[in-house]
Amino acid sequence: MRIRDLFNEKKLVFSFEVFPPKNTSPIKSIYNALNELSELNPDFISVTYGAGGTSVNNKTTEISSLIKNVYKIEALAHLTSIGAKKENINFIKERLALEGVENILALRGDKKEECNSGDFLYASNLMNHLREDFNIIGACYPEGHIENKSIDLEIDNMKRKEENGCSSFISQLFFSNETYYEFLEKARNSGVKAPIQAGIMPVINKKQIQRIGNLCGAYIPLKFKKIMNRYEHNPEALREAGIAYAVEQIIDLSSSSVDGIHLYTMNNPYVARKIKENIKTVLKAVNE
Ligand code: FAD
């Protein structure tokens, strides 16, 4: 199934993201996570891809196939273009098609010194190359992309992605719903039409938040900072507080008629289960 059709069927699409296990962990370690995540009935599960040709890349196809063919859940394979030649992309494209995977999150990937730009300079170029054979999804950045931080340039890029076949978007994580609503309003007023799913990352340890701040520069509201500071030395309390914060964000977003929620699960079924338990009735009510 093409994920774009889910947005016609459901008022709020709810999905998960997983990443391939690191080289040191066997691929089997993802089975346990997927066993539990699949019981939570997400509309689809996406699988990240290591930018710049790392060895985890083949695992993205393998895990996407597992989701689609074993767990019978719609799969979304991430694919980055940075440093990749057209033939590398075509190789992955063919393998995904053989496995019956119909949806690709087409990305450029982060710039790294060791990577040349490859045959596709931007995500929109990759989208154009894939659009005939796959349903294409794109990334968007409610607080602007880290390389320029301009919301206007970000919205121009979303329109470019739409013109190149992007049928829906998944947003970068954010912790301030107000910032997200401002971005949504601006995007819609500027003519972005495709559904946009809100990316929610439950933060359950302090290390995670420092990494996220450095990576994507998300605005950290005072309320959130206080939670992190108050419980940083009590891992269990911090985990419960992080889950509660994500639940509050999701309930507020669901009440504001967003198109969907994409949960960055960090391969942690406990956290995904706790969140799903807390929002089950809300999700049902929204989709009635
Ligand atoms: P692009 O849309 O190509 O944009 C990159 C930059 O170029 C932006 O600053 C944009 O404004 C600018 N730009 C775009 N087009 C033009 C143009 N024509 N002219 C001038 N400037 C232009 N990374 C991974 O490595 N693996 C993953 O699995 C992965 N999954 C992700 C999932 C989501 C939901 C999100 C939000 C991000 C993910 N990323 C992943 C990170 C992503 O690869 C980086 O954020 C990357 O820096 C940008 O990717 P993009 O596809 O948005 O790039």
Side-chain angles (χ1 to χ4, degrees):
M1 181 186 202
R2 299 201 157 206
I3 287 169
R4 66 165 174 243
D5 297 329
L6 279 173
F7 291 97
N8 299 327
E9 282 177 16
K10 294 216 154 184
K11 293 200 183 98
L12 190 122
V13 169
F14 182 69
S15 56
F16 290 153
E17 178 170 306
V18 296
F19 56 84
K22 300 273 178 290
N23 285 338
T24 46
S25 325
I27 185 89
K28 279 191 187 138
S29 66
I30 194 77
Y31 276 82
N32 293 341
L34 285 176
N35 273 337
E36 291 193 49
L37 290 174
S38 61
E39 285 170 9
L40 304 177
N41 292 322
D43 291 313
F44 68 86
I45 300 181
S46 83
V47 188
T48 64
Y49 182 92
T54 69
S55 58
V56 295
N57 294 347
N58 286 334
K59 291 186 186 166
T60 302
T61 308
E62 195 177 332
I63 296 165
S64 301
S65 169
L66 196 67
I67 291 167
K68 170 91 185 175
N69 300 308
V70 177
Y71 292 96
K72 309 286 180 205
I73 294 173
E74 217 35 69
L76 169 63
H78 297 207
L79 179 59
T80 62
S81 66
I82 200 152
K85 290 271 163 219
K86 198 171 172 178
E87 48 271 30
N88 308 134
I89 296 290
N90 285 345
F91 175 76
I92 293 168
K93 196 178 138 176
E94 279 161 28
R95 283 200 53 206
L96 285 171
L98 271 177
E99 299 295 336
V101 175
E102 294 175 75
N103 304 285
I104 294 183
L105 177 57
L107 300 145
R108 184 199 67 183
D110 283 324
K111 278 188 178 163
K112 290 183 187 136
E113 269 178 28
E114 67 273 19
C115 277
N116 62 29
S117 54
D119 285 346
F120 306 93
L121 205 48
Y122 297 112
S124 52
N125 305 120
L126 179 64
M127 289 173 177
N128 196 27
H129 181 67
L130 300 170
R131 66 189 295 179
E132 259 188 39
D133 305 304
F134 293 88
N135 176 53
I136 303 301
I137 294 176
C140 69
Y141 303 84
E143 297 172 65
H145 184 250
I146 196 104
E147 282 167 31
N148 62 53
K149 284 285 173 191
S150 150
I151 301 292
D152 289 337
L153 283 182
E154 171 54 24
I155 290 173
D156 285 349
N157 196 27
M158 289 174 79
K159 291 204 273 186
R160 201 178 294 121
K161 286 178 177 177
E162 282 189 322
E163 282 158 19
N164 282 281
C166 178
S167 70
S168 63
F169 292 96
I170 299 178
S171 90
Q172 180 62 284
L173 59 91
F174 59 90
F175 301 106
S176 158
N177 285 6
E178 298 316 314
T179 310
Y180 186 70
Y181 295 139
E182 277 171 35
F183 156 75
L184 270 191
E185 193 182 350
K186 210 162 182 190
R188 295 304 181 212
N189 289 342
S190 309
V192 174
K193 296 204 169 51
I196 305 173
Q197 278 184 265
I200 297 295
M201 163 86 80
V203 174
I204 52 165
N205 61 57
K206 183 117 184 179
K207 223 159 115 202
Q208 209 182 343
I209 189 133
Q210 281 156 350
R211 222 181 49 227
I212 292 159
N214 294 341
L215 278 179
C216 70
Y219 165 65
I220 312 287
L222 185 60
K223 183 174 159 185
F224 189 71
K225 254 184 221 155
K226 273 167 48 184
I227 293 175
M228 292 297 124
N229 291 338
R230 178 69 182 80
Y231 303 115
E232 66 178 309
H233 301 301
N234 184 334
E236 273 184 32
L238 184 60
R239 185 174 66 176
E240 293 312 305
I243 291 172
Y245 191 91
V247 166
E248 196 183 317
Q249 269 195 291
I250 295 172
I251 291 178
D252 177 56
L253 289 160
S254 313
S255 322
S256 302
S257 308
V258 296
D259 298 308
I261 307 286
H262 184 71
L263 193 67
Y264 296 102
T265 68
M266 308 301 292
N267 293 7
N268 187 329
Y270 171 84
V271 173
R273 182 175 294 282
K274 282 279 172 195
I275 290 178
K276 187 68 196 282
E277 277 167 12
N278 277 287
I279 61 166
K280 207 165 57 189
T281 317
V282 166
L283 282 188
K284 195 163 169 257
V286 168
N287 279 314
E288 264 166 9

